[in-house]
Structure formats: structure tokens, C-alpha cells
Amino acid sequence: MAKGKSFGGGMPRNSANMMKQVQKMQQDMLKMQEEMETQTYEATAGGGMVRAQVSGKKEVVLLEIDPEAVDPEDVEMLQDMVIAAVNEALRTSENAAAEGMNKLTGGMNFGF
């Protein structure tokens, strides 16, 4: 071991810098999550006959159904359109969250 070098106490500079970067990333992730929760994501189905909006909290906040889509003889088709619109809006929300996370982490996968 070279004179004057100590490997005992204290954190090496690189580790301290890494900790600061991790803390900043955590803060940025929290900020992004808060911002995402205020956004709404929209999708349509049936050629626009059903429109759904979900929040970043994954809650349905709007569901519009064109009266022409309401056919008492074919309620099943309307149900399918509602499900399709809501699911697509949720996927849009999830994709936006993943894209934001990817930007923060530089593409590294941290398992979240």
C-alpha cells in the first residue's frame, strides 16, 4: 500500500458522487410521478363512438358514448367498445409513464 493512502474510513469520492446522482434520480422520479398523476390519457373505440379518459392514477375520469352506439339489440358490442377504449387509454398512460422513466434512467432497467 502506498504511503498516505487510506482505505479505511470515509466514502471514496466516486461513491459519494454516485449517491448524489441516485438521490437526484429519486427526486426526479418522484417529481415525474406527481406530474404524471395530473395528466389525462384518452382513447376511442368503434370509430370514435366511445371515448374514454383515464388519469395518471389509472382512474377512469370520463366516458362518452355516442347515442348512435346504443343499440338495445347489440349491447355486447357497446360493452366491447367501452372495454377497448378504457384499456387503450390505460395502455397510453402506462406507455407515457414508461417513456418518462426511460428518460430519467437513460434506458437502464431498475426493475420498476
Side-chain angles (χ1 to χ4, degrees):
M1 179 156 71
K3 288 186 177 181
K5 300 249 179 180
S6 169
F7 293 102
M11 190 181 294
R13 256 186 260 160
N14 289 343
S15 293
N17 287 338
M18 185 181 295
M19 288 300 294
K20 286 180 184 178
Q21 289 175 340
V22 168
Q23 289 172 343
K24 182 178 182 336
M25 187 182 296
Q26 286 175 328
Q27 291 170 347
D28 290 346
M29 287 158 86
L30 286 173
K31 182 179 177 188
M32 184 196 73
Q33 185 177 10
E34 290 171 359
E35 289 173 2
M36 296 289 299
E37 288 179 354
T38 66
Q39 300 295 316
T40 57
Y41 305 90
E42 182 175 312
T44 62
M49 298 192 79
V50 175
R51 181 169 74 115
Q53 279 185 356
V54 298
S55 71
K57 293 180 181 182
K58 303 199 181 355
E59 297 172 339
V60 176
V61 295
L62 176 114
L63 180 63
E64 288 183 347
I65 301 172
D66 186 320
E68 291 183 27
V70 181
D71 180 357
E73 307 266 329
D74 195 1
V75 174
E76 191 173 294
M77 182 178 74
L78 176 59
Q79 292 168 337
D80 290 344
M81 286 190 291
V82 169
I83 290 168
V86 170
N87 285 337
E88 184 58 30
L90 287 169
R91 274 191 290 278
T92 302
S93 167
E94 290 170 3
N95 289 340
E99 187 177 301
M101 188 64 68
N102 193 32
K103 286 179 184 177
L104 284 178
T105 63
M108 292 184 285
N109 184 355
F110 290 99
F112 32 72

